[in-house]
Amino acid sequence: MSDVSILWLRTALRVHDNPVLQAALSHEYCLPVYLFDPADQAPLAELADVRVGDAKIRKVGEHRARFLLEALDDLQARLEALVSGITYRRGEPAEVLRVLAKAVLESDFGSGAVSRVTVYVDDQPGSEEQALFDRVRTALSGLRSRESSSSPKPVTLEVIWEKSVYHPEDLPFVPADNPSKFKDFWQQVTKTTSVREPEPTPERMPPLPKDIARGELPTLEGLGYTPAEIANSDQRAYPGGETEGLARLAHYAFESEQLTDYRWTRNRSLGADYSSKWSAYLALGCLSPRHVWREVKRYEVEVKKNASTYWLVRELIWRDYYQIKALQYPRQMFWPRGTGKKDYDWTRDQDTFRRWATGTTGIPFLDAHLRELRETGFMSNRGRVNAASWLSRDQGVLWTWGAAWFESYLIDYDVASNWLNWSSQATELRPTNPIWQGRRYDAD
């Protein structure tokens, strides 16, 4: 009897320090699979009634889609070097996984019929993601082994956390008791919690099931993107993939030693090296957050420890804080009032939103950032703060529209970081003045 794992790839697209991959490797056979959900190319629900030009506002815009395809192409090459590869499917994930798991159960392998299939996937906060996992569990629950139709649950879903420096199970509190202020989170976690040891990088993968059709990595055109979108995606800010992510990590830290100056350059907006540019690789799991944390700590020992390395680590832990806060508020983080109790009288002014989205507000510092986002899929931290504050606080436009626009375009989109940063800027933090900020941070 054979034991098979299905490695459902979502946002852990790497081979280094990957606990989801390691769990899948414990089985006799392993089938890595990426599922292209047509809903990702459909109009984004939050902006379904909003018009910005003629093109529909997709859930996954062209920049995000190209970055993803590049990441998958790179991961496929890495897995093939380990005598494995990726199987591609398109369709509603729960149904596709049900069909795929059923095909595996009905297949014969080297040691005979399949007795058990375990589907592994990286855990993600957010109500939409958790609802998807529930649908998959339901779809898999009715399958039975060919050899034993009465065996209980021969196909199961295992959801494994890998998205943060500190594992939620190791924190001094459960997610429901996550501190309301980052300062308290920082102090409690860094004083009491250790970072888990990295998972080993595999030298070889278990064999693939031979009679399961592999499929091919689709193109942007094959996914339904228009020629104009495809042409625009050529300008995306950074190439995707684990190879590129590791190279960028090495360049910014040990090769250029730009990390030493991070504290004093991180609020700039022009150039490649004013900030780490690691966020997109972290968002798709091309870089492990624990590996990044360890490399910064190694930098402190081998090169220099200063305010810059402190602030870079602090930013990583800020990212952790929002991941845990998303577990704490999986639905509330999308509410117009945010995670607080105060209601706001937001407007749904489409003309103002269009001027904002197209970078035609008349405020140069703001417009340049918004055009950069639309054309490249990236925007500096300083630009994001001012863009969110102007739309929500100065104009009173429903902030979830802005967060959804960022979701479509940002190559470093992460559900927790994006939506909770927007929520905080719209409902908790002080407004910013984009004219004053432009003079301070980019006077030219």
Side-chain angles (χ1 to χ4, degrees):
M1 302 291 280
S2 297
D3 184 22
V4 181
S5 68
I6 294 177
L7 176 60
W8 178 16
L9 300 164
R10 282 179 60 82
T11 59
L13 305 184
R14 64 180 185 274
V15 298
H16 75 276
D17 189 25
N18 189 337
V20 191
L21 173 61
Q22 282 300 314
L25 295 182
S26 64
H27 296 256
E28 185 179 1
Y29 293 88
C30 178
L31 178 65
V33 59
Y34 190 88
L35 310 178
F36 288 91
D37 186 349
D40 288 341
Q41 281 72 55
L44 192 58
E46 185 65 30
L47 297 175
D49 298 324
V50 178
R51 294 289 173 264
V52 179
D54 297 329
K56 58 186 177 181
I57 305 168
R58 301 181 189 269
K59 181 176 178 62
V60 176
E62 62 268 26
H63 298 299
R64 282 184 63 195
R66 179 178 284 273
F67 193 87
L68 169 64
L69 293 181
E70 291 171 343
L72 288 169
D73 187 52
D74 181 69
L75 181 60
Q76 179 171 307
R78 285 175 170 264
L79 293 180
E80 287 175 349
L82 300 174
V83 199
S84 184
I86 301 176
T87 293
Y88 298 103
R89 294 288 188 272
R90 191 176 188 197
E92 199 285 317
E95 176 59 18
V96 171
L97 281 171
R98 187 192 70 80
V99 172
L100 188 61
K102 186 174 185 293
V104 171
L105 279 174
E106 294 174 349
S107 300
D108 283 314
F109 294 89
S111 55
V114 176
S115 60
R116 188 169 184 81
V117 178
T118 307
V119 180
Y120 292 96
V121 67
D122 54 290
D123 198 0
Q124 297 179 62
S127 55
E128 185 177 293
E129 291 75 12
Q130 294 302 313
L132 171 59
F133 296 153
D134 288 342
R135 291 198 302 273
V136 170
R137 287 189 185 93
T138 299
L140 298 178
S141 65
L143 297 176
R144 290 291 178 266
S145 169
R146 181 180 59 179
E147 293 299 308
S148 178
S149 60
S150 61
S151 62
K153 297 183 179 179
V155 184
T156 56
L157 177 68
E158 295 290 337
V159 180
I160 298 175
W161 185 267
E162 60 80 41
K163 292 192 70 65
S164 55
V165 174
Y166 295 101
H167 197 287
E169 293 178 358
D170 300 336
L171 300 179
F173 44 77
V174 296
D177 295 328
N178 189 36
S180 60
K181 295 182 179 180
F182 170 71
K183 180 181 178 180
D184 296 331
F185 178 91
W186 165 269
Q187 291 178 343
Q188 291 187 50
V189 171
T190 56
K191 288 180 179 179
T192 64
T193 311
S194 298
V195 178
R196 294 187 177 186
E197 289 299 310
E199 298 288 348
T201 299
E203 297 180 358
R204 189 178 179 87
M205 292 276 288
L208 288 165
K210 292 182 179 180
D211 55 350
I212 301 296
R214 296 282 298 279
E216 294 183 354
L217 179 66
T219 63
L220 286 173
E221 182 180 16
L223 290 174
Y225 291 88
T226 67
E229 289 173 316
I230 295 171
N232 191 43
S233 74
D234 288 338
Q235 304 180 78
R236 58 93 179 85
Y238 303 101
E242 181 178 12
T243 300
E244 293 288 347
L246 290 170
R248 178 63 198 177
L249 176 60
H251 166 77
Y252 188 73
F254 295 97
E255 294 171 5
S256 69
E257 296 187 4
Q258 291 292 325
L259 177 53
T260 297
D261 299 323
Y262 173 77
R263 173 69 178 85
W264 298 278
T265 63
R266 67 191 186 96
N267 280 313
R268 296 178 185 174
S269 297
L270 288 174
D273 290 342
Y274 66 83
S275 65
S276 71
K277 306 300 189 302
W278 298 337
S279 59
Y281 303 106
L282 287 166
L284 263 187
C286 302
L287 280 178
S288 156
R290 292 163 300 283
H291 179 64
V292 172
W293 180 86
R294 286 189 181 86
E295 287 296 276
V296 176
K297 290 298 180 180
R298 182 164 73 90
Y299 187 92
E300 290 183 330
V301 173
E302 298 181 7
V303 182
K304 188 170 185 176
K305 180 179 181 179
N306 67 353
S308 291
T309 57
Y310 168 87
W311 273 95
L312 202 291
V313 170
R314 189 178 176 88
E315 293 297 329
L316 283 172
I317 308 309
W318 255 109
R319 183 176 178 274
D320 273 21
Y321 176 61
Y322 277 151
Q323 299 299 327
I324 305 304
K325 192 171 183 178
L327 292 175
Q328 184 182 22
Y329 299 112
R331 293 180 299 278
Q332 295 94 319
M333 68 189 218
F334 303 105
W335 291 355
R337 71 182 186 192
T339 59
K341 297 181 179 180
K342 180 181 177 181
D343 288 321
Y344 296 83
D345 186 20
W346 302 111
T347 71
R348 288 170 169 77
D349 184 340
Q350 292 206 24
D351 288 337
T352 299
F353 180 80
R354 272 192 291 271
R355 288 194 296 118
W356 175 87
T358 57
T360 54
T361 68
I363 303 173
F365 186 65
L366 195 59
D367 291 344
H369 281 107
L370 288 161
R371 291 172 185 173
E372 179 188 28
L373 172 64
R374 200 175 185 193
E375 293 178 18
T376 73
F378 187 79
M379 183 192 291
S380 70
N381 177 67
R382 189 50 40 193
R384 299 182 200 202
V385 169
N386 281 275
S389 180
W390 186 86
L391 184 69
S392 62
R393 306 300 284 274
D394 291 355
Q395 305 303 310
V397 174
L398 181 62
W399 68 267
T400 58
W401 283 8
W405 183 259
F406 274 29
E407 176 177 344
S408 179
Y409 278 96
L410 281 175
I411 59 173
D412 63 0
Y413 171 74
D414 171 90
V415 61
S417 296
N418 181 69
W419 284 85
L420 286 168
N421 267 305
W422 265 93
S423 174
S424 296
Q425 191 63 54
T427 66
E428 300 172 18
L429 303 178
R430 292 181 179 180
T432 61
N433 183 326
I435 297 175
W436 182 87
Q437 293 244 328
R439 290 171 180 166
R440 177 178 179 181
Y441 293 111
D442 191 5
D444 296 328

Short mmCIF file of all heavy atoms in Angstrom, two decimals, residues 85-104:
data_model
loop_
_atom_site.label_atom_id
_atom_site.label_comp_id
_atom_site.label_asym_id
_atom_site.label_seq_id
_atom_site.Cartn_x
_atom_site.Cartn_y
_atom_site.Cartn_z
N GLY A 85 8.86 18.09 -9.61
CA GLY A 85 8.28 19.09 -10.50
C GLY A 85 6.95 19.56 -9.97
O GLY A 85 6.56 19.21 -8.85
N ILE A 86 6.24 20.37 -10.76
CA ILE A 86 4.95 20.91 -10.35
C ILE A 86 3.88 20.45 -11.32
O ILE A 86 4.07 20.48 -12.54
CB ILE A 86 4.98 22.45 -10.30
CG1 ILE A 86 6.05 22.95 -9.32
CG2 ILE A 86 3.60 23.00 -9.88
CD1 ILE A 86 6.18 24.45 -9.28
N THR A 87 2.75 20.03 -10.78
CA THR A 87 1.56 19.72 -11.57
C THR A 87 0.65 20.94 -11.55
O THR A 87 0.44 21.54 -10.49
CB THR A 87 0.82 18.51 -10.98
OG1 THR A 87 1.65 17.35 -11.14
CG2 THR A 87 -0.51 18.27 -11.68
N TYR A 88 0.15 21.34 -12.71
CA TYR A 88 -0.68 22.53 -12.81
C TYR A 88 -2.12 22.15 -13.15
O TYR A 88 -2.37 21.28 -13.98
CB TYR A 88 -0.15 23.49 -13.89
CG TYR A 88 1.24 24.00 -13.58
CD1 TYR A 88 2.36 23.48 -14.23
CD2 TYR A 88 1.43 25.00 -12.63
CE1 TYR A 88 3.63 23.94 -13.95
CE2 TYR A 88 2.70 25.47 -12.34
CZ TYR A 88 3.80 24.93 -12.99
OH TYR A 88 5.06 25.40 -12.70
N ARG A 89 -3.04 22.82 -12.47
CA ARG A 89 -4.46 22.65 -12.74
C ARG A 89 -5.14 24.02 -12.67
O ARG A 89 -4.65 24.93 -12.00
CB ARG A 89 -5.12 21.72 -11.71
CG ARG A 89 -4.64 20.28 -11.76
CD ARG A 89 -5.17 19.56 -12.99
NE ARG A 89 -4.87 18.14 -12.95
CZ ARG A 89 -3.74 17.59 -13.40
NH1 ARG A 89 -2.79 18.36 -13.91
NH2 ARG A 89 -3.56 16.29 -13.35
N ARG A 90 -6.29 24.13 -13.33
CA ARG A 90 -7.07 25.37 -13.26
C ARG A 90 -8.52 25.03 -12.94
O ARG A 90 -9.09 24.10 -13.52
CB ARG A 90 -6.99 26.14 -14.58
CG ARG A 90 -7.57 27.55 -14.46
CD ARG A 90 -7.41 28.36 -15.71
NE ARG A 90 -7.82 29.74 -15.50
CZ ARG A 90 -8.09 30.61 -16.46
NH1 ARG A 90 -8.00 30.24 -17.73
NH2 ARG A 90 -8.45 31.85 -16.16
N GLY A 91 -9.10 25.78 -12.00
CA GLY A 91 -10.48 25.55 -11.62
C GLY A 91 -10.70 25.91 -10.17
O GLY A 91 -9.78 26.38 -9.48
N GLU A 92 -11.91 25.73 -9.69
CA GLU A 92 -12.23 26.02 -8.29
C GLU A 92 -11.43 25.04 -7.42
O GLU A 92 -11.51 23.83 -7.59
CB GLU A 92 -13.73 25.84 -8.06
CG GLU A 92 -14.24 26.52 -6.80
CD GLU A 92 -13.88 25.78 -5.53
OE1 GLU A 92 -14.00 24.54 -5.52
OE2 GLU A 92 -13.46 26.43 -4.54
N PRO A 93 -10.61 25.55 -6.48
CA PRO A 93 -9.64 24.69 -5.78
C PRO A 93 -10.24 23.48 -5.08
O PRO A 93 -9.66 22.39 -5.15
CB PRO A 93 -9.01 25.66 -4.77
CG PRO A 93 -9.09 26.99 -5.43
CD PRO A 93 -10.40 26.97 -6.16
N ALA A 94 -11.37 23.64 -4.42
CA ALA A 94 -11.94 22.50 -3.70
C ALA A 94 -12.30 21.36 -4.66
O ALA A 94 -12.02 20.19 -4.40
CB ALA A 94 -13.17 22.94 -2.91
N GLU A 95 -12.91 21.70 -5.79
CA GLU A 95 -13.29 20.68 -6.75
C GLU A 95 -12.06 20.08 -7.44
O GLU A 95 -11.98 18.86 -7.66
CB GLU A 95 -14.24 21.27 -7.80
CG GLU A 95 -14.64 20.33 -8.91
CD GLU A 95 -15.34 19.06 -8.42
OE1 GLU A 95 -15.83 19.03 -7.28
OE2 GLU A 95 -15.39 18.09 -9.21
N VAL A 96 -11.10 20.92 -7.80
CA VAL A 96 -9.89 20.42 -8.45
C VAL A 96 -9.14 19.47 -7.54
O VAL A 96 -8.69 18.40 -7.97
CB VAL A 96 -8.99 21.59 -8.88
CG1 VAL A 96 -7.64 21.06 -9.36
CG2 VAL A 96 -9.65 22.40 -9.98
N LEU A 97 -9.02 19.82 -6.27
CA LEU A 97 -8.32 18.95 -5.32
C LEU A 97 -9.09 17.65 -5.09
O LEU A 97 -8.47 16.59 -4.92
CB LEU A 97 -8.08 19.69 -4.00
CG LEU A 97 -6.92 20.68 -4.00
CD1 LEU A 97 -6.92 21.50 -2.72
CD2 LEU A 97 -5.58 19.96 -4.15
N ARG A 98 -10.40 17.73 -5.09
CA ARG A 98 -11.20 16.52 -4.93
C ARG A 98 -10.94 15.56 -6.09
O ARG A 98 -10.70 14.36 -5.88
CB ARG A 98 -12.69 16.86 -4.85
CG ARG A 98 -13.59 15.66 -4.53
CD ARG A 98 -15.06 15.99 -4.75
NE ARG A 98 -15.35 16.14 -6.17
CZ ARG A 98 -15.54 15.12 -7.01
NH1 ARG A 98 -15.46 13.87 -6.58
NH2 ARG A 98 -15.82 15.35 -8.28
N VAL A 99 -10.97 16.09 -7.30
CA VAL A 99 -10.74 15.26 -8.49
C VAL A 99 -9.31 14.71 -8.49
O VAL A 99 -9.08 13.53 -8.80
CB VAL A 99 -11.01 16.08 -9.76
CG1 VAL A 99 -10.58 15.30 -11.01
CG2 VAL A 99 -12.49 16.45 -9.85
N LEU A 100 -8.35 15.56 -8.13
CA LEU A 100 -6.96 15.13 -8.14
C LEU A 100 -6.71 14.06 -7.08
O LEU A 100 -6.06 13.04 -7.34
CB LEU A 100 -6.06 16.34 -7.89
CG LEU A 100 -4.56 16.13 -8.05
CD1 LEU A 100 -4.22 15.69 -9.47
CD2 LEU A 100 -3.81 17.41 -7.70
N ALA A 101 -7.23 14.26 -5.87
CA ALA A 101 -7.05 13.28 -4.80
C ALA A 101 -7.73 11.96 -5.15
O ALA A 101 -7.20 10.88 -4.86
CB ALA A 101 -7.60 13.83 -3.49
N LYS A 102 -8.88 12.04 -5.80
CA LYS A 102 -9.59 10.83 -6.22
C LYS A 102 -8.76 10.06 -7.25
O LYS A 102 -8.65 8.83 -7.19
CB LYS A 102 -10.96 11.20 -6.81
CG LYS A 102 -11.84 10.01 -7.17
CD LYS A 102 -13.22 10.51 -7.60
CE LYS A 102 -14.18 9.34 -7.83
NZ LYS A 102 -13.77 8.53 -9.01
N ALA A 103 -8.14 10.79 -8.18
CA ALA A 103 -7.30 10.14 -9.18
C ALA A 103 -6.10 9.47 -8.53
O ALA A 103 -5.70 8.36 -8.93
CB ALA A 103 -6.84 11.17 -10.21
N VAL A 104 -5.53 10.10 -7.52
CA VAL A 104 -4.39 9.51 -6.81
C VAL A 104 -4.84 8.25 -6.08
O VAL A 104 -4.15 7.21 -6.11
CB VAL A 104 -3.77 10.53 -5.83
CG1 VAL A 104 -2.75 9.86 -4.93
CG2 VAL A 104 -3.12 11.68 -6.60
#
